[in-house]
């Protein structure tokens, strides 16, 4: 009875904390609809310098760094947009967050080496002013990040450059609803903060420290159900989703499968947590009995991840891991197909490793031998 009372008390305190966090967290000082902060750069590296945002002109301010792989991956796409909208949009690449050991010469050499793949204006900041006035003020973190300034000099959108195409077209055509974009961003921020606010509490129910110790999944599910009852939009949020899936794996694997299928196709304030589901399936594979349908779900998560992030991830390894999931699910045909895709993807890369090809092909031969043996 005491244990039950303690759990109910902790549940109540958590819900109160979540609500208070949503109410008291300060809003960003820079948001969609606000005038764009001034540009302050140390040096212009490429293209005609932009001293200020002129009325009637649309700008994309793209923040990047030489060490940022995803930034480099996004540059050809931004270059294509710069050419497509050359008379309507000015794209600015501002180098920020560089390592202290990176000289200006190295930055310039990098820009020169990119050539037409970085076919827009480029500058570098000379202090943390830009980082503070754009990132710090807006509450954004991480690069690459694009800020679109509309023809009125106001921030119209903030996000990843891969997601900019449709938005930019609407901003140029003056059909973008800036009030709706602001409301959507504020709501997404609210949900993100709520999701993160329950992480520490939910972690106390996970455990998994000692062999056979699977934590308190039923208690975790009770807490999650109450949180989602108060805010239904959190049902598939990344932290809630990961903890729900983990707890259901231990208590009702088929429900875990059904819930996981929904997670894969239900983005909230960010993309579905494909990798989280994969990692949980791997983590529990030697701790509990994982069903074939759960391994199939893991393979589908790999495919969803490949579909979404093809430019940014190791495609051969993801197909290789997908094949393993299908094999564990006893879906031998799909395992063989995925392994063949892993080999094809690896061979399409420049300077691919012969050792890695041999390892992948050996795995494929193993799959085929086992398939033939079981088919007889």
């Amino acid at each position: 009875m005491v244990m039950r009372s303690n759990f109910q008390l902790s549940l109540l305190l958590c819900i109160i904390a979540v609500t208070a966090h949503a109410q008291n967290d300060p809003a960003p000082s820079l948001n969609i609809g606000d005038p764009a902060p001034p540009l302050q750069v140390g040096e212009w590296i490429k293209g005609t310098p932009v001293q200020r945002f002129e009325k009637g002109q649309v700008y994309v301010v793209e923040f990047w760094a030489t060490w940022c792989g995803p930034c480099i991956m996004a540059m050809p796409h931004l270059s294509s947009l710069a050419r497509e909208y050359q008379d309507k949009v000015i794209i600015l690449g501002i180098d920020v967050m560089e390592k202290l050991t990176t000289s200006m010469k190295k930055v310039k050499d990098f820009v020169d080496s990119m050539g037409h793949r970085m076919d827009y204006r480029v500058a570098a900041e000379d202090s943390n002013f830009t980082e503070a006035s754009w990132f710090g003020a807006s509450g954004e973190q991480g690069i690459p990040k694009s800020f679109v300034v509309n023809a009125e000099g106001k921030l119209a959108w903030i996000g990843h450059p891969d997601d900019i195409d449709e938005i930019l077209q609407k901003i140029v055509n003056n059909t973008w609803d800036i009030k709706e974009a602001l409301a959507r961003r504020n709501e997404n921020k609210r949900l993100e903060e709520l999701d993160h606010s329950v992480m520490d509490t939910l972690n106390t129910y996970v455990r998994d420290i000692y062999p056979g110790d699977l934590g308190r999944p039923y208690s975790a599910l009770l807490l999650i159900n109450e949180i989602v009852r108060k805010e239904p939009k959190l049902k598939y949020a990344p932290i809630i989703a990961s903890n729900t899936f983990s707890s259901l794996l231990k208590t009702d694997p088929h429900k875990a499968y059904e819930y996981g299928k929904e997670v894969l196709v239900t983005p909230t304030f960010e993309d579905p947590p494909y990798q989280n589901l994969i990692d949980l399936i791997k983590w529990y594979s030697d701790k509990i009995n994982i069903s074939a349908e759960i391994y199939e779900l893991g393979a589908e998560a790999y495919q969803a991840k490949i579909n979404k992030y093809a430019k940014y991830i190791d495609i051969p390894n993801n197909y290789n891991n997908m094949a393993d999931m299908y094999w564990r699910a006893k879906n031998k045909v799909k395992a063989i197909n995925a392994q063949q895709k892993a080999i094809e993807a690896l061979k399409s890369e420049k300077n691919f490793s012969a050792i890695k090809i041999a390892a992948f092909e050996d795995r494929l031969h193993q799959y085929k031998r086992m398939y033939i043996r079981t088919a007889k």
Side-chain angles (χ1 to χ4, degrees), residues 131-146:
E131 194 173 325
S133 61
W134 292 77
F135 283 91
S138 66
E140 292 292 330
Q141 297 177 352
I143 51 178
K145 190 72 67 179
S146 294

Side-chain angles (χ1 to χ4, degrees), residues 18-48:
V18 169
T19 305
H21 184 88
Q23 292 173 342
N24 297 331
D25 198 75
S29 58
L30 176 66
N31 213 332
I32 290 174
D34 293 338
L39 280 175
Q40 181 169 316
V41 301
E43 185 173 349
W44 284 94
I45 300 171
K46 184 173 184 177
T48 305

Side-chain angles (χ1 to χ4, degrees), residues 197-240:
S197 71
V198 301
M199 181 166 59
D200 290 342
T201 303
L202 286 173
N203 281 344
T204 64
Y205 298 109
V206 175
R207 304 294 291 275
D208 294 331
I209 301 172
Y210 307 106
D213 179 10
L214 297 178
R216 294 177 287 164
Y218 289 103
S219 296
L221 288 171
L222 281 174
L223 175 56
I224 290 167
N225 287 342
E226 184 59 20
I227 292 169
V228 172
R229 185 186 67 80
K230 292 183 71 68
E231 179 45 85
K233 293 178 182 178
L234 287 176
K235 184 174 182 179
Y236 301 108
I239 291 169
I240 291 290

Side-chain angles (χ1 to χ4, degrees), residues 173-314:
N173 294 339
N174 203 29
T175 58
W176 179 247
D177 190 330
I178 205 166
K179 290 183 178 179
E180 181 182 325
L182 172 63
R184 184 165 56 248
R185 182 172 189 267
N186 287 342
E187 176 67 355
N188 286 343
K189 285 286 184 185
R190 183 185 74 85
L191 293 173
E192 183 179 15
E193 289 159 6
L194 282 175
D195 192 40
H196 280 272
S197 71
V198 301
M199 181 166 59
D200 290 342
T201 303
L202 286 173
N203 281 344
T204 64
Y205 298 109
V206 175
R207 304 294 291 275
D208 294 331
I209 301 172
Y210 307 106
D213 179 10
L214 297 178
R216 294 177 287 164
Y218 289 103
S219 296
L221 288 171
L222 281 174
L223 175 56
I224 290 167
N225 287 342
E226 184 59 20
I227 292 169
V228 172
R229 185 186 67 80
K230 292 183 71 68
E231 179 45 85
K233 293 178 182 178
L234 287 176
K235 184 174 182 179
Y236 301 108
I239 291 169
I240 291 290
S242 297
N243 281 275
T244 303
F245 184 71
S246 169
S247 298
L248 288 174
L249 273 180
K250 305 168 194 174
T251 59
D252 193 330
H254 183 64
K255 280 188 178 179
Y257 169 76
E258 292 179 331
Y259 177 76
K261 292 280 283 187
E262 291 297 318
V263 170
L264 289 182
V265 297
T266 313
T268 53
F269 51 83
E270 61 182 49
D271 294 327
Y274 310 119
Q275 189 62 47
N276 289 11
L277 296 190
I278 291 167
D279 290 343
L280 286 167
I281 294 169
K282 287 181 175 179
W283 176 254
Y284 288 111
S285 63
D286 62 351
K287 294 177 173 62
I288 60 177
N289 182 33
I290 300 292
S291 64
E293 65 181 2
I294 292 294
Y295 282 124
E296 289 258 3
L297 178 71
E300 291 169 16
Y302 272 116
Q303 187 62 66
K305 181 183 167 189
I306 290 169
N307 292 345
K308 180 67 179 180
Y309 304 115
K311 289 196 299 185
Y312 304 107
I313 63 175
D314 186 335

Side-chain angles (χ1 to χ4, degrees), residues 63-81:
F63 294 103
W64 66 280
T66 58
W67 52 262
C68 172
C71 298
I72 297 168
M73 292 284 192
M75 288 170 183
H77 177 57
L78 287 165
S79 298
S80 176
L81 289 174

Side-chain angles (χ1 to χ4, degrees), residues 52-227:
R52 66 186 63 82
F53 297 120
E54 302 288 349
K55 292 290 179 72
Q57 178 68 59
V58 175
Y59 299 84
V60 174
V61 184
E62 166 69 13
F63 294 103
W64 66 280
T66 58
W67 52 262
C68 172
C71 298
I72 297 168
M73 292 284 192
M75 288 170 183
H77 177 57
L78 287 165
S79 298
S80 176
L81 289 174
R83 290 187 288 269
E84 180 182 351
Y85 291 102
Q86 58 182 325
D87 298 325
K88 300 176 181 178
V89 178
I90 293 176
I91 296 182
L92 314 173
I94 311 296
D95 177 40
V96 297
M97 303 181 188
E98 279 293 351
K99 298 175 182 177
L100 294 176
T101 55
T102 303
S103 66
M104 181 57 66
K105 182 181 183 306
K106 185 175 180 180
V107 175
K108 290 179 178 179
D109 288 345
F110 171 86
V111 174
D112 288 342
S113 71
M114 290 299 292
H116 70 277
R117 293 174 295 164
M118 199 176 190
D119 199 12
Y120 45 88
R121 306 183 202 197
V122 183
E125 70 168 344
D126 63 349
S127 66
N128 290 330
F129 173 84
T130 302
E131 194 173 325
S133 61
W134 292 77
F135 283 91
S138 66
E140 292 292 330
Q141 297 177 352
I143 51 178
K145 190 72 67 179
S146 294
F147 291 71
V148 180
V149 180
N150 70 10
E152 297 176 355
K154 295 181 179 180
L155 282 180
W157 182 79
I158 306 170
H160 194 285
D162 277 359
D163 302 325
I164 202 172
D165 294 53
E166 184 179 348
I167 289 111
L168 188 58
Q169 185 179 46
K170 289 182 178 179
I171 292 170
V172 168
N173 294 339
N174 203 29
T175 58
W176 179 247
D177 190 330
I178 205 166
K179 290 183 178 179
E180 181 182 325
L182 172 63
R184 184 165 56 248
R185 182 172 189 267
N186 287 342
E187 176 67 355
N188 286 343
K189 285 286 184 185
R190 183 185 74 85
L191 293 173
E192 183 179 15
E193 289 159 6
L194 282 175
D195 192 40
H196 280 272
S197 71
V198 301
M199 181 166 59
D200 290 342
T201 303
L202 286 173
N203 281 344
T204 64
Y205 298 109
V206 175
R207 304 294 291 275
D208 294 331
I209 301 172
Y210 307 106
D213 179 10
L214 297 178
R216 294 177 287 164
Y218 289 103
S219 296
L221 288 171
L222 281 174
L223 175 56
I224 290 167
N225 287 342
E226 184 59 20
I227 292 169

